[in-house]
Amino acid sequence: MGNLDKLSKFISLVLRHQPDAAHITLDEHGWANVEELLTGINETGRKIDMETLEGIVATDNKQRYSFNQDKTLIRANQGHSIPVDVELKEQEPPEFLYHGTATRFLDSIMNEGLKPMSRLYVHLSKDIETALKVGKRHGEPVILKIHSGVMYKDGYKFYLSENGVWLTKKVDAKYFEAIRD
């Protein structure tokens, strides 16, 4: 794993889960002061400057982070385990969304539905390919086809994050089925 990958993973940890790992705080919307973040990361023995941070934000293939207009603030777009309001806008989802998971979790999911676990929301993908990549990270993958259009009509709220991940609080088992790729 390259140094930039390690830095990106540490930034993800700080901005989504443990801001105190870099001795910073996040505001109620998940924003961190960029100068404080850079100082905090450097104080942990890692080396980063603004140019490196901008490169990580620009090249992150999952588009995990956003700067504000003048790049004085930064935040993770979603995936938080700490309570922040990333000011998501409610949107009507497409008819179907997908969730990738590991086969070892399937029995539990079929019984209890999809829950956010350590996160604030359940993460859903607009396509099977993305869901499959997510599922493979957790083991032998299985894809769940979510009847998001029906859920929305039934009153469930959906949000689209800055990086194209669909979010909802939970998915009851009656709204999905497992599909094989």
Side-chain angles (χ1 to χ4, degrees):
M1 181 185 306
N3 206 29
L4 280 185
D5 285 344
K6 287 181 181 174
L7 267 175
S8 183
K9 285 193 179 348
F10 184 69
I11 292 167
S12 178
L13 172 79
V14 169
L15 295 180
R16 295 160 112 188
H17 311 294
Q18 293 178 14
D20 56 334
H23 314 292
I24 65 162
T25 57
L26 306 179
D27 74 10
E28 70 272 20
H29 300 295
W31 292 106
N33 177 291
V34 169
E35 285 301 315
E36 289 175 13
L37 177 66
L38 293 173
T39 300
I41 292 171
N42 280 305
E43 286 175 356
T44 69
R46 295 166 177 88
K47 295 290 168 235
I48 189 167
D49 57 19
M50 185 62 180
E51 188 179 338
T52 305
L53 182 62
E54 285 176 326
I56 288 170
V57 171
T59 60
D60 185 78
N61 63 350
K62 295 182 187 167
Q63 298 176 306
R64 286 184 185 98
Y65 320 106
S66 295
F67 283 114
N68 67 342
Q69 211 80 42
D70 64 2
K71 295 188 177 178
T72 58
L73 301 174
I74 186 172
R75 74 175 170 194
N77 289 321
Q78 99 302 298
H80 300 83
S81 62
I82 53 176
V84 296
D85 171 12
V86 290
E87 304 164 291
L88 297 166
K89 291 174 184 62
E90 186 181 336
Q91 291 195 25
E92 182 172 353
E95 185 178 359
F96 300 107
L97 289 169
Y98 302 91
H99 181 82
T101 189
T103 53
R104 70 180 184 275
F105 301 134
L106 197 55
D107 286 345
S108 171
I109 289 170
M110 292 309 229
N111 288 327
E112 300 175 31
L114 280 172
K115 299 186 289 191
M117 307 309 279
S118 64
R119 291 179 167 172
L120 302 178
Y121 296 96
V122 172
H123 293 204
L124 304 172
S125 306
K126 66 182 182 313
D127 58 73
I128 291 173
E129 296 77 32
T130 304
L132 186 61
K133 281 185 205 161
V134 172
K136 284 181 177 175
R137 289 200 311 249
H138 300 289
E140 177 69 28
V142 63
I143 306 300
L144 303 177
K145 182 178 182 181
I146 313 296
H147 296 264
S148 40
V150 175
M151 285 180 65
Y152 185 76
K153 286 180 185 68
D154 287 352
Y156 286 79
K157 293 182 187 324
F158 286 83
Y159 308 93
L160 185 58
S161 73
E162 289 281 327
N163 58 348
V165 176
W166 284 91
L167 307 168
T168 193
K169 282 291 185 188
K170 66 180 171 101
V171 182
D172 292 330
K174 68 180 181 179
Y175 292 111
F176 62 79
E177 71 259 9
I179 58 174
R180 303 289 175 202
D181 189 41

